[in-house]
Amino acid sequence: MPDRRTVALVTLGCARNEVDSEELAGRLAADGWQLVPDAAEADVAVVNTCGFVEAAKKDSVDALLEAGDLKGQARTQAVVAVGCMAERYGKELAEALPEADGVLGFDDYADISDRLRTILSGGVHAPHVPRDRRKLLPVSPAERQGAGVALPGHGDAGHAAAGPGEAADPAAGAPADLPAGVAPASGPRAPLRRRLGGGPVASVKLASGCDRRCTFCAIPAFRGSFVSRRPADVLGETRWLAEQGVKEVMLVSENNTSYGKDLGDLRLLETLLPELAAVDGIERVRVSYLQPAELRPGLIDVLAGTENVAPYFDLSFQHAAPTVLRAMRRFGDTERFWELLETIRAKAPHAGVRSNFIVGFPGEREADFAELERFLTGARLDAIGVFGYSDEDGTEAAGYDGKLDPEAVAERLAHLTPLAEELTAQRAEERVGERLSVLVESVDEGEGVLGRAAHQAPETDGLVRLTGPGCADLVPGRMVEARAVAAEGVDLVAEPATVEEASP
């Protein structure tokens, strides 16, 4: 029997892209492809690109070029671009980057196996001409469900479970009574997804797209309008992940606070979270990306007070000066944002809060920049991302007057970045003495035992280093009650609690 075709998936960008890659992996494994971790060992390297900002796009191009360099030197015969950058630019990217043997958009995902076979056999799949994906769905959210538009990460059920290093059974079919994306609570069937790595944490797609019209953001144009996954699909996938050994799931989308509006219930997330937290084997549920203007009191209550739901608030503030926020087509100001933070901390004093901010937005005055500093100084955020503004193709802000010189943007970025680092380090110092629930993620002879507390999301926030007696028997996936004894920048050092301390 000849060797199966091999494929490697290289993923850049956010957790949403990671979910999309695992759906592609599930489709390919189900059709007989062998997945390998190294592009040099694969017949075809599939690069899941990011198309959000210039730095991310550059990283995506570099990854494609690096994979292209393998052709003729390793097993790699073809390099294919997928993901946001491929969807956003399509034919234009293919013409500008001949090193890529194929550029596939979201509409190609359902036929990914056929597309790769065509490319490997020397055929050509014509890249798409980009279009505004918001126009593919009805304006009314209530009419979007079942519209037949490609939604990456919303994969349907019907394939045998396949963990890392295992192949899915291509002959397995889904029971007719299972809704799309749902795996039974037990048994061999699983969502159309293949985990590409181990570890006790995995993301679950809650929705796709966005209906907001922030003037700096191009994401809605290439990701499309907002579409929720059905609760049964999210629950089914979470159960399957728990069976794979996952202990923490992170719910991801472009805007989790909009979940359910197209299903007729804007409070659906408040109902779903306790159900997810009750899934056998899941010890923590985390929600990412919340819009401050849409954050309802009931959702705050559930996030702050539900067992196994992390009191974690990933709030998209972006700025604090009212004039800049209005130019961004966003809402709020320093006092309103502080009031929101006070409300959260009154319900969950140790809640984790992170946010991102843009400096140098068109028309940003010195007084606006000073207002942003004032907000950050009083906000006590656990993690702060700061980005300098740059024009994004097709966005409203790209046509604004009042653009700052790139040097001025760089100066403001250089000023605010160390301030953000200092403020988050101070916040970590405030947590010394706190009791933490730490999920162990890695145990390494050199680095020791590393994990994350409830206020720390994967990749974006700090870590906890566990030390002292009680660490010898710790393994990844173990949830440990500990007490913070020191801070190292945004990271914490903690000691496992004694039996007496760990008891309620």
Side-chain angles (χ1 to χ4, degrees):
M1 180 177 177
D3 291 341
R4 287 186 294 165
R5 289 292 198 180
T6 55
V7 58
L9 283 135
V10 179
T11 306
L12 295 96
C14 64
R16 300 185 294 272
N17 254 17
E18 293 173 6
V19 176
D20 296 350
S21 284
E22 293 197 348
E23 180 190 299
L24 291 174
R27 291 182 183 278
L28 289 166
D31 202 38
W33 290 76
Q34 180 182 350
L35 282 97
V36 295
D38 189 348
E41 300 172 358
D43 295 312
V44 57
V46 177
V47 180
N48 192 348
T49 60
C50 178
F52 183 37
V53 294
E54 285 303 320
K57 288 184 278 189
K58 182 181 182 303
D59 288 344
S60 295
V61 170
D62 289 345
L64 287 164
L65 293 175
E66 182 179 348
D69 289 341
L70 297 173
K71 290 188 290 186
Q73 302 179 32
R75 177 167 177 164
T76 310
Q77 301 173 43
V79 175
V80 175
V82 299
C84 291
M85 190 175 179
E87 174 62 40
R88 185 176 180 183
Y89 295 105
K91 184 178 180 181
E92 180 183 345
L93 177 64
E95 292 173 349
L97 200 68
E99 291 85 354
D101 300 282
V103 174
L104 305 181
F106 296 151
D107 292 328
D108 293 308
Y109 281 21
D111 300 308
I112 185 68
S113 181
D114 289 342
R115 300 289 185 264
L116 297 190
R117 291 182 193 280
T118 295
I119 292 167
L120 273 178
S121 66
V124 175
H125 178 71
H128 67 283
V129 176
R131 52 183 171 171
D132 188 338
R133 293 191 71 85
R134 291 171 294 191
K135 298 178 180 179
L136 302 181
L137 287 165
V139 173
S140 170
E143 298 175 5
R144 293 175 188 165
Q145 290 289 325
V149 173
L151 299 170
H154 290 224
D156 54 1
H159 299 278
E166 300 173 344
D169 177 5
D177 57 349
L178 275 183
V182 176
S186 62
R189 301 224 186 324
L192 189 54
R193 179 172 179 173
R194 162 77 177 271
R195 292 206 73 196
L196 291 173
V201 183
S203 296
V204 173
K205 187 75 75 78
L206 193 63
S208 288
C210 185
D211 287 341
R212 300 187 71 88
R213 294 295 180 265
C214 302
T215 58
F216 57 84
C217 184
I219 289 176
F222 58 84
R223 276 287 183 179
S225 298
F226 186 88
V227 181
S228 303
R229 292 183 73 193
R230 293 190 175 275
D233 298 2
V234 179
L235 271 167
E237 189 164 325
T238 299
R239 292 187 184 112
W240 176 75
L241 287 168
E243 291 170 357
Q244 304 294 306
V246 169
K247 299 299 181 183
E248 177 179 326
V249 294
M250 185 167 73
L251 303 180
V252 299
S253 77
E254 281 73 20
N255 178 10
N256 283 326
T257 31
S258 283
Y259 180 70
K261 72 176 187 178
D262 53 323
L263 295 173
D265 185 357
L266 192 54
R267 294 179 176 83
L268 200 54
L269 186 55
E270 287 96 302
T271 304
L272 178 61
L273 282 171
E275 294 186 65
L276 293 171
V279 170
D280 188 29
I282 296 298
E283 299 198 42
R284 187 153 66 202
V285 178
R286 185 183 304 276
V287 183
S288 68
Y289 210 84
L290 302 166
Q291 283 287 347
E294 298 180 32
L295 192 56
R296 305 171 294 280
L299 182 53
I300 295 175
D301 289 342
V302 172
L303 289 170
T306 305
E307 185 178 3
N308 288 358
V309 173
Y312 178 80
F313 294 80
D314 178 8
L315 298 169
S316 175
F317 288 127
Q318 301 298 348
H319 213 280
T323 54
V324 177
L325 286 166
R326 301 306 174 269
M328 291 177 169
R329 200 172 289 120
R330 299 178 68 86
F331 306 95
D333 54 41
T334 293
E335 278 67 30
R336 291 181 188 178
F337 291 162
W338 280 348
E339 182 179 347
L340 174 59
L341 294 174
E342 289 173 4
T343 299
I344 290 169
R345 288 168 177 149
K347 298 177 184 296
H350 301 306
V353 186
R354 83 169 322 276
S355 191
N356 293 327
F357 300 88
I358 298 173
V359 299
F361 192 79
E364 183 189 63
R365 302 165 300 176
E366 288 287 351
D368 299 323
F369 185 66
E371 183 65 8
L372 176 55
E373 283 191 70
R374 186 172 82 92
F375 168 72
L376 289 174
T377 302
R380 296 171 57 232
L381 303 179
D382 292 279
I384 299 171
V386 184
F387 302 90
Y389 173 81
S390 62
D391 287 339
E392 280 295 310
D393 298 336
T395 61
E396 186 176 338
Y400 279 2
D401 295 328
K403 299 279 180 62
L404 278 69
D405 290 335
E407 293 79 8
V409 176
E411 286 176 8
R412 293 184 182 183
L413 182 63
H415 175 82
L416 200 63
T417 298
L419 174 62
E421 292 172 352
E422 179 183 348
L423 291 170
T424 51
Q426 290 175 5
R427 179 67 182 124
E429 287 282 357
E430 291 178 15
R431 291 192 178 275
V432 173
E434 277 187 20
R435 176 173 161 175
L436 310 171
S437 293
V438 180
L439 178 63
V440 177
E441 292 195 343
S442 66
V443 179
D444 181 85
E445 187 174 334
E447 295 184 343
V449 181
L450 299 179
R452 289 178 301 100
H455 70 280
Q456 299 167 318
E459 306 296 335
T460 58
D461 304 338
L463 294 168
V464 175
R465 180 166 58 86
L466 290 166
T467 186
C471 289
D473 297 327
L474 295 181
V475 295
R478 174 86 176 271
M479 189 72 80
V480 180
E481 294 300 310
R483 191 167 300 279
V485 297
E488 299 175 341
V490 296
D491 298 332
L492 293 173
V493 179
E495 296 178 350
T498 64
V499 173
E500 293 77 12
E501 289 175 324
S503 299

